[in-house]
Amino acid sequence: MPDVHRTVDAAWKLESAKIVASLTRMVRDVGLAEELAQDAVVAALEQWPVSGVPDNPGAWLTTTAKRRAVDHLRRSQRLERKQEQLAHELEQQHGPDATPDAEPDDVLRLVFLSCHPVLPTEARAALTLRLLGGLTAEEISRAFLVTETVITQRIARAKRTLAERRVPFELPERDRLAERLSSVLEVVYLIFNEGYSATSGDDLMRPGLCLEALRLGRLLAELAPREPEVHALVALMEIQASRAAARTGPSGQPVPLHEQNRGRWDQLLIRRGFTAMLRARETGGGAPGPYTLQAAIAVCHAQARSAEGTDWTRIASLYEALARILPTPIVRLNRAVAVGMAYGPQAGLDLADSLLADAVLSDYHLLPGVRGICWRGSAATTRPASNSGGPRPSRRTPPSAPSWSGARTRSATPHRRAGRSGRPPTTS
């Protein structure tokens, strides 16, 4: 029995998005579609211990769920003209082990549905993990450190809102694609960031959420291969995830980027990130978007063989471009860090001082820290050389500057605010 449960769970995690997407296309109700899919899971748990696990568990679940959908349509006497067609399509499948026939566009439609702007951001994240990740409410609640009841209520409200607002199960029109895609990418990156730098709890990272976000990002890249920002987000997450093993010390303490053992960075993830970045550049025909710019910053860090070899001039120019299209206080603060590293601490201090009037950053604990580092570095570069004849500290690499070198912003995503979690905007 435990083996059957593990097999059912694995099949559900792999196939749930396709199954729910296919059923949503049939019944036009994502809540009902998930219920029908869950009925198929219950049937598997009841039948497989007796009949044995089928050769193709995912196809078995798909076929069983579709039969229940057809039965539901017949009982409710809806879509009468479509009943025969649906039943005929089902009969054309070659038994319970046939390959699932979910159209790729169905899964993409499900992505846009679960991330629809009518839903609050927290609900989008929970519903996406539920429908596309196949996670249970208990698993999602553990990941976000809230109660299972809270997640269950979020998901239920989200489904009810989609039904009440009659949100269609369709791809957005071309003129609205960029806006809707931005919402989807925001949700995926929010999930990743919650795993990469947790906003609550004692752990710095929750690897399960990072892996789930990576899986969703890779899936989205397959479904929307011509969207450069999708590939850029994948590149950004791959490269950030590559540092996971080096981000904490023996006692679990965070290790800044400049102090990390780069030999522990995952080279496979870095290569995958570089490949995704190449795809983003190949598909992008216009000005780079925010994820493309952030991914380019991550590439600069990944290409440097050491902290001292980081191309801060390039990073500063990328932050300047990012600040033009995403002028959030956190992006501007990270730009001050990069400018200070590239052109000397006084240049960074001037930019940091210009942020003092910003209401969002006025009480943000990192702003005084950045200003203090810039001030000390600026003072060091103007201090006379000691009698020992030792060299002055370099303006390009001020004495305290390494503590800045985590200047990859987790809060550069469009809808994150400074101070929300009490954690720094920069990541290691």
Side-chain angles (χ1 to χ4, degrees):
M1 181 66 71
D3 289 339
V4 170
H5 275 275
R6 284 196 293 269
T7 302
V8 172
D9 183 62
W12 174 252
K13 292 285 178 64
L14 290 172
E15 302 291 343
S16 61
K18 296 178 183 177
I19 296 172
V20 174
S22 293
L23 296 175
T24 303
R25 174 163 51 93
M26 293 173 67
V27 301
R28 298 290 165 173
D29 183 329
V30 70
L32 175 58
E34 193 192 5
E35 289 178 15
L36 294 169
Q38 289 293 331
D39 286 345
V41 171
V42 172
L45 292 172
E46 293 173 347
Q47 298 179 30
W48 291 2
V50 177
S51 62
V53 176
D55 293 335
N56 191 334
W60 192 98
L61 291 173
T62 302
T63 300
T64 302
K66 283 190 173 183
R67 283 176 177 157
R68 280 162 170 70
V70 171
D71 290 342
H72 172 82
L73 291 173
R74 283 173 174 159
R75 284 195 306 270
S76 62
Q77 296 183 347
R78 290 185 297 171
L79 304 178
E80 294 181 358
R81 294 180 181 177
K82 199 170 185 179
Q83 286 178 14
E84 292 185 4
Q85 176 188 350
L86 292 172
H88 178 71
E89 289 178 357
L90 187 61
E91 294 301 326
Q92 292 301 310
Q93 295 182 11
H94 305 293
D97 293 333
T99 303
D101 65 347
E103 299 177 6
D105 280 354
D106 283 345
V107 180
L108 188 57
R109 290 186 183 98
L110 188 63
V111 172
F112 279 103
L113 184 68
S114 63
C115 298
H116 200 281
V118 300
L119 303 175
T121 301
E122 293 81 3
R124 293 181 219 169
L127 190 61
T128 299
L129 288 171
R130 176 66 175 162
L131 298 182
L132 292 155
L135 274 64
T136 65
E138 180 184 4
E139 290 171 322
I140 300 171
S141 67
R142 286 202 305 265
F144 284 100
L145 296 186
V146 297
T147 66
E148 185 177 350
T149 300
V150 168
I151 293 298
T152 300
Q153 290 174 345
R154 284 180 187 174
I155 293 173
R157 282 196 297 267
K159 292 176 183 176
R160 187 166 58 250
T161 299
L162 293 173
E164 291 173 351
R165 299 287 291 271
R166 299 182 181 277
V167 176
F169 183 66
E170 62 185 21
L171 296 176
E173 298 293 334
R174 175 59 60 179
D175 58 348
R176 297 199 60 197
L177 181 60
E179 172 191 348
R180 293 287 305 281
L181 188 60
S182 175
S183 174
V184 172
L185 298 181
E186 177 197 352
V187 170
V188 175
Y189 199 32
L190 181 150
I191 294 170
F192 180 85
N193 273 327
E194 190 60 35
Y196 193 75
S197 296
T199 59
S200 57
D202 297 328
D203 296 329
L204 175 66
M205 294 181 290
R206 298 192 202 120
L209 278 181
C210 290
L211 292 175
E212 194 57 41
L214 274 170
R215 191 178 74 81
L216 291 172
R218 292 165 185 162
L219 172 65
L220 192 58
E222 292 177 4
L223 297 172
R226 298 182 180 178
E227 297 297 332
E229 283 287 85
V230 174
H231 295 297
L233 176 57
V234 173
L236 177 59
M237 295 191 297
E238 300 274 16
I239 294 173
Q240 284 187 279
S242 73
R243 307 174 194 148
R247 292 186 68 223
T248 53
S251 303
Q253 75 275 16
V255 178
L257 182 61
H258 76 283
E259 294 179 0
Q260 289 176 13
N261 178 358
R262 299 191 176 211
R264 299 188 67 195
W265 287 3
D266 190 322
Q267 294 302 312
L268 175 59
L269 287 177
I270 290 176
R271 288 195 297 272
R272 294 183 72 156
F274 287 173
T275 299
M277 191 61 182
L278 286 175
R279 289 174 182 159
R281 289 169 176 165
E282 289 170 356
T283 54
Y291 292 106
T292 300
L293 291 170
Q294 291 176 77
I297 293 169
V299 166
C300 285
H301 285 297
Q303 287 178 328
R305 293 183 178 274
S306 64
E308 294 74 21
T310 304
D311 188 351
W312 283 105
T313 303
R314 169 71 173 157
I315 291 176
S317 67
L318 289 168
Y319 267 118
E320 182 179 359
L322 182 61
R324 284 197 294 267
I325 62 175
L326 195 66
T328 66
I330 300 305
V331 170
R332 291 158 60 201
L333 180 60
N334 278 277
R335 182 190 169 211
V337 169
V339 167
M341 293 294 292
Y343 302 109
Q346 184 60 51
L349 181 61
D350 291 343
L351 275 179
D353 285 346
S354 70
L355 302 177
L356 289 172
D358 193 296
V360 174
L361 282 174
S362 60
D363 296 324
Y364 193 49
H365 68 286
L366 274 193
L367 179 55
V370 169
R371 293 183 66 248
I373 290 171
C374 291
W375 185 86
R376 288 195 302 271
S378 180
T381 60
T382 57
R383 190 179 302 134
S386 66
N387 292 334
S388 64
R392 294 184 185 179
S394 166
R395 284 186 59 87
R396 185 170 179 78
T397 310
S400 301
S403 63
W404 303 347
S405 59
R408 239 293 317 140
T409 171
R410 94 176 263 231
S411 298
T413 53
H415 301 283
R416 278 202 174 270
R417 302 284 290 179
R420 173 185 170 188
S421 65
R423 287 191 180 274
T426 55
T427 65
S428 46

